[in-house]
Amino acid sequence: MNKSLQAFNTFGIEAYADQLIEINSVAQLREVLQDITEPFYVLGGGSNILLLNNLKGVVLKMSIPGIKVERTFKKVVYLSAGAGVNWHQLVLYAVENDLGGLENLSLIPGTVGASPMQNIGAYGIEIKDVFHRLEAVEIATGKVKVFRKKALAFGYRNSIFKNKLKGKYIITKVWFKLTKPPHRLRLSYGAIQSVLAASGVDQPTIRDISNAVIKIRSEKLPDPREIGNAGSFFKNPVIDVKLFASLYQQYPKIPHYPQADGTVKLPAGWLIEQCGWKGKRVGNTGTHVRQALVLVNYGNAKGSEIQALALKIRESVRQKFKISLEMEVNIWD
Ligand code: EPU
């Protein structure tokens, strides 16, 4: 237990691992996998994990670099990025080179390699909308395999790597299909429109959208460098129309997003706020003052304290709304 992981998880939890190996290439990854005898954990930006204990084993920190324009066509460009590339750096690269599709996903913490696993999304788009394919190493054999979009079975904060193939592959490189101008802008999210209007922008570029998203996120979500957190702690629950009808009767102001299959998605942040948790502090932990869905570490919290708070919140929501919140953050035990 001699490697501190505090700087490697955005919750800023102090926990230790036996060893941390930085992986910089596919060849190195394959060698390491061949030699490794201890249990191991694959780490990206550490922005979606909660460390409960010290880890008995080795952490493989995915640092494979490289952003590359792979192919250019009349209207689209295929851009690839190594698993270790910082997500926001990739977005900035695309925006600077006038490649459209990633701008709404500005400022999401984490790395490229982790992004398809949970189909990251924000402000009207998900990675599945721009994903082309990825390369991953099969842990059991060391073989490199290509996965196309269909094979990933993308869902809301979900992919095959969180289900059937969990723990079986390590993502090493991801390709995105981006647009050349004129871009298809995604302006459906109300807050983006408000920010653009307030800054007097009536013909937005992808840079304007990226800047608007950066502004919205910085105002609403805590910066992990200042206060430990892992973004949304729970997923937004999807409920059937019958339960929704009864909740709507009781709470006519409930924000809700009808889904194509007849179900209804509710914002977990609203449900949590209604239970009185918004901005509440419990010891070293709490929920963020401007976004109740984000659990925070006020400093020195243990993973177990954050988990205990999460369980209390989940219980309140279950009692008040008969809804069971599912964690979005992955617990490492
Ligand atoms: N709301 C409240 N109280 C709160 C928080 C939210 O009433 O404390 C209400 C808001 O007023 C709004 C609704 O809930 O009506 C939705 O809130 P918001 O726009 O902040 O988005 P969210 O549903 O809470 C999701 C994603 C975020 C993503 C935003 C923007 C999930 C679990 N979270 O949050 O993703 O940035 O939409 O698109 O789907 C993440 O996954 O880590 C993440 C930050």
Side-chain angles (χ1 to χ4, degrees), residues 121-123 156-157 189 217 220 231-232 234-236 255 257 267 269-270 273 278 291-293 328:
Y123 306 106
Y156 167 58
R157 294 293 188 278
Y189 200 88
R217 286 191 78 99
K220 207 148 73 172
S232 302
F234 299 99
K235 289 186 187 183
N236 283 334
Y257 318 108
W270 186 87
E273 181 174 348
K278 190 171 185 173
Q291 199 356 326
L293 185 52
E328 195 206 288

Side-chain angles (χ1 to χ4, degrees), residues 161-209:
F161 294 111
K162 285 191 91 176
N163 298 295
K164 215 170 104 191
L165 298 185
K166 192 172 177 174
K168 302 224 178 313
Y169 285 87
I170 299 177
I171 298 170
T172 51
K173 190 170 177 179
V174 186
W175 277 253
F176 301 91
K177 186 180 180 182
L178 304 178
T179 55
K180 283 189 188 174
H183 302 296
R184 198 183 125 228
L185 305 179
R186 277 88 159 185
L187 298 164
S188 60
Y189 200 88
I192 294 186
Q193 291 177 19
S194 317
V195 171
L196 292 174
S199 18
V201 177
D202 53 5
Q203 294 213 307
T205 60
I206 56 172
R207 187 181 288 275
D208 293 325
I209 295 183

Side-chain angles (χ1 to χ4, degrees), residues 72 154 245 280:
T72 302
F154 280 126
K280 214 169 193 180

Side-chain angles (χ1 to χ4, degrees), residues 11 36 39 62 67 69 73 93-94 107-108 112-113 191 199 202 241 248-249 261:
F11 257 128
I36 209 159
M62 296 305 292
I67 300 179
V69 172
F73 294 92
Y93 179 95
L107 216 60
I108 294 183
V112 166
S199 18
D202 53 5
V241 75
Y248 189 60
Q249 225 173 20
D261 62 1

Side-chain angles (χ1 to χ4, degrees), residues 12-269:
I13 303 286
E14 178 72 312
Y16 288 82
D18 292 339
Q19 198 190 345
L20 184 137
I21 303 175
E22 199 150 322
I23 303 292
N24 295 302
S25 70
V26 174
Q28 183 206 357
L29 174 63
R30 296 176 71 189
E31 269 173 38
V32 168
L33 288 176
Q34 227 169 23
D35 295 344
I36 209 159
T37 49
E38 287 183 86
F40 63 89
Y41 301 79
V42 182
L43 183 69
S47 57
N48 209 35
I49 58 167
L50 178 63
L51 295 165
L52 280 194
N53 295 304
N54 292 332
L55 301 177
K56 290 182 201 71
V58 181
V59 170
L60 305 184
K61 166 82 181 101
M62 296 305 292
S63 300
I64 298 175
I67 300 179
K68 187 174 170 211
V69 172
E70 297 278 356
R71 296 193 73 181
T72 302
F73 294 92
K74 223 162 119 189
K75 292 186 176 163
V76 299
V77 169
Y78 289 88
L79 187 70
S80 75
V85 171
N86 171 274
W87 176 264
H88 186 57
Q89 293 306 316
L90 175 70
V91 175
L92 290 181
Y93 179 95
V95 169
E96 269 152 31
N97 289 280
D98 208 5
L99 302 174
L102 298 178
E103 57 282 357
N104 294 49
L105 301 175
S106 296
L107 216 60
I108 294 183
T111 54
V112 166
S115 63
M117 294 195 63
Q118 74 224 32
N119 184 21
I120 59 167
Y123 306 106
I125 90 148
E126 290 180 332
I127 201 182
K128 73 167 169 47
D129 303 323
V130 285
F131 178 89
H132 176 52
R133 64 179 170 131
L134 64 77
E135 222 171 68
V137 171
E138 188 176 23
I139 291 170
T141 61
K143 279 191 187 145
V144 176
K145 192 173 162 184
V146 171
F147 290 82
R148 293 186 184 279
K149 187 164 164 177
K150 258 203 175 142
L152 285 222
F154 280 126
Y156 167 58
R157 294 293 188 278
N158 209 357
S159 80
I160 195 156
F161 294 111
K162 285 191 91 176
N163 298 295
K164 215 170 104 191
L165 298 185
K166 192 172 177 174
K168 302 224 178 313
Y169 285 87
I170 299 177
I171 298 170
T172 51
K173 190 170 177 179
V174 186
W175 277 253
F176 301 91
K177 186 180 180 182
L178 304 178
T179 55
K180 283 189 188 174
H183 302 296
R184 198 183 125 228
L185 305 179
R186 277 88 159 185
L187 298 164
S188 60
Y189 200 88
I192 294 186
Q193 291 177 19
S194 317
V195 171
L196 292 174
S199 18
V201 177
D202 53 5
Q203 294 213 307
T205 60
I206 56 172
R207 187 181 288 275
D208 293 325
I209 295 183
S210 172
N211 287 338
V213 169
I214 289 172
K215 186 169 190 309
I216 299 165
R217 286 191 78 99
S218 328
E219 279 170 6
K220 207 148 73 172
L221 298 167
D223 181 342
R225 284 169 304 188
E226 284 158 23
I227 177 163
N229 76 90
S232 302
F233 196 90
F234 299 99
K235 289 186 187 183
N236 283 334
V238 178
I239 61 170
D240 65 40
V241 75
K242 217 171 130 202
L243 176 57
F244 176 69
S246 80
L247 288 175
Y248 189 60
Q249 225 173 20
Q250 258 182 296
Y251 308 96
K253 287 196 181 141
I254 191 167
H256 54 281
Y257 318 108
Q259 304 294 293
D261 62 1
T263 57
V264 182
K265 195 191 265 185
L266 302 179

